[in-house]
């Protein structure tokens, strides 16, 4: 069965058509500037990218162009819509309603809408994508895979904030965690790769990309993760602050004459390694700048590594030990020097890294030496494939 995987943002839409049996990507692409003007990038497997400007007033037109491209007589990869067996949608926030992926029903859509408050930038866009697909592909099953679902196994001591309990009861203020599809995929794959039972292993996954989070996976279940009610908590990220003293918000609001929206904008978009360095949120730029002697770029890299190492240490404590530490996503898969900086803090766990192995980029590899007490690995994430697998499993 071919599964169309859709990741819908407010003005963009990423897609991949995956043959679920061979797990081959048949075609992939991106619709951008939806609601502004519109551009479709389409790439059939093994061919060049094609970019075309197309008017996309709404997501419905965008998805229509995706279907047209996939079924096009010349450049398409399937004959007609009948060859697309299902659609798998990435949905950011499932709140406490969803611990698993589900087939879309009117009740499911209502429950996703109820989480709009918790992810105002993402959930409404995700729903629009689902409804556009329902309209254009009636009869094709739609499945939703939640970023939060994998973390629903966290125990209450991990997900409760030290806030008045009534905020949890009234507004469901608690920690949810994100990147669940990636943490689940990568931790499972690490166990397969090592030939150990997933249900009897302690793994810490470091998903380090534009947005970054760490997850403690014990016996196949997420028991803690660094993002919280929203993806702002935890690590220092590209432009997000991660954990700060909450009192900073009032302090800076007064000094800089900012309202709460202004402060949130600073914490989400002007902080992180970009805010620290004043250079960039991209780790390639930061590394270049640091090598050229830029001290703030060097500081940003040091702060990033230190925060990751602190989370790894706290999750080793939470699980009373750790068997595997896995690096994934853009930075985790590609940035050897950053992996080495993080691992330098972890000598007390008996971790030793093979410098040669740590040169790897974007492929599965063991970085630890044979006598290291903990396996350290790179496992590339593949959220689209994980969504396609979930979709097929559900159907
Ligand atoms: P997203 O969260 O947007 O999916 P990615 O997982 O693609 O992000 O990660 C993007 C980040 O990965 C970039 O900002 C960049 O800092 C980092 N990155 C990608 N390739 C490299 C590389 N070769 N060396 C260092 N960092 C890299």
């Amino acid at each position: 069965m071919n599964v169309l995987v859709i990741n819908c943002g407010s003005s963009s839409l990423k897609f991949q058509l995956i043959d679920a049996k061979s797990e081959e990507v048949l075609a992939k692409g991106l619709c951008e500037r939806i609601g502004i003007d519109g551009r479709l990038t389409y790439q059939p497997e093994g061919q060049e990218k094609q970019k075309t400007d197309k008017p996309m007033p709404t997501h419905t037109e965008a998805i229509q162009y995706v279907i047209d491209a996939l079924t096009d007589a010349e450049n398409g990869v399937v004959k007609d819509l009948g060859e697309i067996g299902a659609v798998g949608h990435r949905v950011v926030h499932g709140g406490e309603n969803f611990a698993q992926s589900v087939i879309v029903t009117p009740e499911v859509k209502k429950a996703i809408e109820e989480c709009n408050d918790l992810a105002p930038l993402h959930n409404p866009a995700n729903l629009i994508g689902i409804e556009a697909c329902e309209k254009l592909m009636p009869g094709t099953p739609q499945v939703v895979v939640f970023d939060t679902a994998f973390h629903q196994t966290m125990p209450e001591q991990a997900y409760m904030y030290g806030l008045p309990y009534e905020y949890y009861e009234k507004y469901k203020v608690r920690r949810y965690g994100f990147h669940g599809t990636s943490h689940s995929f990568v931790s499972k794959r690490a166990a397969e790769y090592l030939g150990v039972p997933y249900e009897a292993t302690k793994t810490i996954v470091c998903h380090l990309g534009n947005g970054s989070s760490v997850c403690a996976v014990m016996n196949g279940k997420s028991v803690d993760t660094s993002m919280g009610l929203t993806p702002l908590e935890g690590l220092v990220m590209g432009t997000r602050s991660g954990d700060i003293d909450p009192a900073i918000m009032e302090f800076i609001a007064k000094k800089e004459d900012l309202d709460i929206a202004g402060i949130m904008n600073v914490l989400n978009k002007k902080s992180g390694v970009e805010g620290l360095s004043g250079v960039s949120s991209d780790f390639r730029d930061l590394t270049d700048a640091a090598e050229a002697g830029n001290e703030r770029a060097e500081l940003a890299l040091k702060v990033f590594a230190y925060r990751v190492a602190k989370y790894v240490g706290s999750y080793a404590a939470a699980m009373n030990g750790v068997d595997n530490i896995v690096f994934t996503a853009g930075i985790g898969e590609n940035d050897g020097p950053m992996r080495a900086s993080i691992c330098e803090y972890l000598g007390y766990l008996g971790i030793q890294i093979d410098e040669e192995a740590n040169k790897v980029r974007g492929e599965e590899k063991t970085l630890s030496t044979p006598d290291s007490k903990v396996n350290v690995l790179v496992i590339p994430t593949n959220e689209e494939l994980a969504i396609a697998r979930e979709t097929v499993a559900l159907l």
Side-chain angles (χ1 to χ4, degrees):
M1 184 205 293
N2 298 324
V3 179
L4 179 60
V5 177
I6 301 262
N7 183 353
C8 205
S10 54
S11 70
S12 71
L13 181 160
K14 290 188 211 152
F15 66 94
Q16 284 195 6
L17 187 67
I18 297 178
D19 177 342
K21 199 155 172 228
S22 66
E23 301 203 327
E24 198 185 332
V25 178
L26 303 176
K28 62 183 172 187
L30 167 70
C31 300
E32 290 168 287
R33 301 176 61 83
I34 301 169
I36 305 166
D37 38 26
R39 179 184 308 137
L40 171 73
T41 305
Y42 173 69
Q43 184 175 29
E45 170 58 21
Q47 294 182 41
E48 295 285 300
K49 270 187 195 159
Q50 304 160 13
K51 287 194 181 188
T52 11
D53 291 334
K54 305 250 189 201
M56 295 176 188
T58 71
H59 289 73
T60 307
E61 289 82 15
I63 288 176
Q64 184 63 56
Y65 291 129
V66 172
I67 295 172
D68 291 348
L70 292 170
T71 57
D72 182 66
E74 201 181 325
N75 291 309
V77 289
V78 290
K79 232 178 29 253
D80 54 40
L81 270 186
E83 292 187 17
I84 300 176
V87 185
H89 297 267
R90 176 186 184 203
V91 173
V92 166
H93 220 306
E96 287 188 320
N97 298 320
F98 301 102
Q100 248 110 40
S101 306
V102 285
I103 297 175
V104 175
T105 63
E107 294 73 39
V108 165
K109 285 198 289 181
K110 195 158 167 286
I112 295 173
E113 200 177 344
E114 281 167 12
C115 297
N116 278 0
D117 265 3
L118 295 170
L121 296 179
H122 296 103
N123 269 33
N126 298 156
L127 256 182
I128 289 170
I130 294 169
E131 290 188 332
C133 285
E134 284 181 325
K135 194 161 132 196
L136 296 171
M137 309 169 79
T140 306
Q142 314 278 327
V143 166
V144 288
V145 178
F146 298 94
D147 261 16
T148 49
F150 181 59
H151 302 301
Q152 279 296 302
T153 47
M154 280 196 284
E156 58 190 358
Q157 67 269 27
Y159 71 68
M160 287 303 290
Y161 288 112
L163 288 170
Y165 192 78
E166 70 206 60
Y167 296 161
Y168 171 60
E169 291 178 306
K170 284 201 283 192
Y171 313 121
K172 295 279 175 233
V173 172
R174 50 158 283 179
R175 308 185 61 254
Y176 291 95
F178 298 86
H179 291 141
T181 312
S182 176
H183 287 302
S184 160
F185 177 88
V186 167
S187 55
K188 208 175 285 169
R189 180 64 204 139
E192 272 171 22
Y193 176 82
L194 293 165
V196 297
Y198 187 48
E199 298 71 24
T201 188
K202 297 171 182 175
T203 302
I204 297 173
V205 180
C206 304
H207 177 113
L208 310 178
N210 254 326
S212 297
S213 68
V214 182
C215 181
V217 187
M218 187 157 163
N219 305 336
K221 293 196 166 80
S222 168
V223 292
D224 207 345
T225 190
S226 58
M227 286 177 168
L229 175 77
T230 75
L232 184 55
E233 189 179 338
L235 301 179
V236 175
M237 306 181 215
T239 62
R240 287 175 237 164
S241 64
D243 302 336
I244 57 164
D245 178 346
I248 292 171
M249 298 173 74
E250 189 199 19
F251 185 82
I252 296 297
K254 283 184 180 156
K255 296 277 182 203
E256 296 268 318
D257 193 21
L258 288 169
D259 59 9
I260 195 72
I263 286 286
M264 293 312 293
N265 188 48
V266 171
L267 297 183
N268 274 303
K269 304 209 173 122
K270 302 199 162 149
S271 302
V273 291
E274 180 169 304
L276 268 168
S277 67
V279 171
S280 169
S281 64
D282 192 300
F283 278 60
R284 289 160 288 199
D285 300 338
L286 291 173
T287 308
D288 291 347
E291 277 169 10
N294 185 314
E295 286 176 11
R296 272 173 52 192
E298 194 185 337
L299 170 69
L301 293 169
K302 270 161 61 177
V303 170
F304 181 87
Y306 181 68
R307 181 75 58 90
V308 175
K310 281 213 296 189
Y311 265 99
V312 170
S314 68
Y315 290 166
M319 295 194 289
N320 193 14
V322 54
D323 302 311
N324 315 312
I325 294 174
V326 189
F327 289 101
T328 195
I331 300 157
E333 289 167 29
N334 294 297
D335 193 338
M338 177 50 69
R339 291 188 299 245
S341 304
I342 294 166
C343 290
E344 264 178 38
Y345 288 102
L346 306 175
Y348 71 98
L349 290 171
I351 286 176
Q352 287 183 44
I353 296 293
D354 178 333
E355 270 180 40
E356 200 49 42
N358 190 37
K359 289 183 179 154
V360 71
R361 281 170 187 267
E363 37 178 294
E364 292 183 349
K365 181 115 185 158
T366 301
L367 309 181
S368 44
T369 59
D371 51 356
S372 174
K373 293 215 175 69
V374 177
N375 300 303
V376 181
L377 313 171
V378 168
I379 301 281
T381 191
N382 191 337
E383 286 167 287
E384 289 77 14
L385 177 58
I387 292 172
R389 282 183 186 165
E390 283 276 309
T391 302
V392 173
L394 251 183
L395 296 172

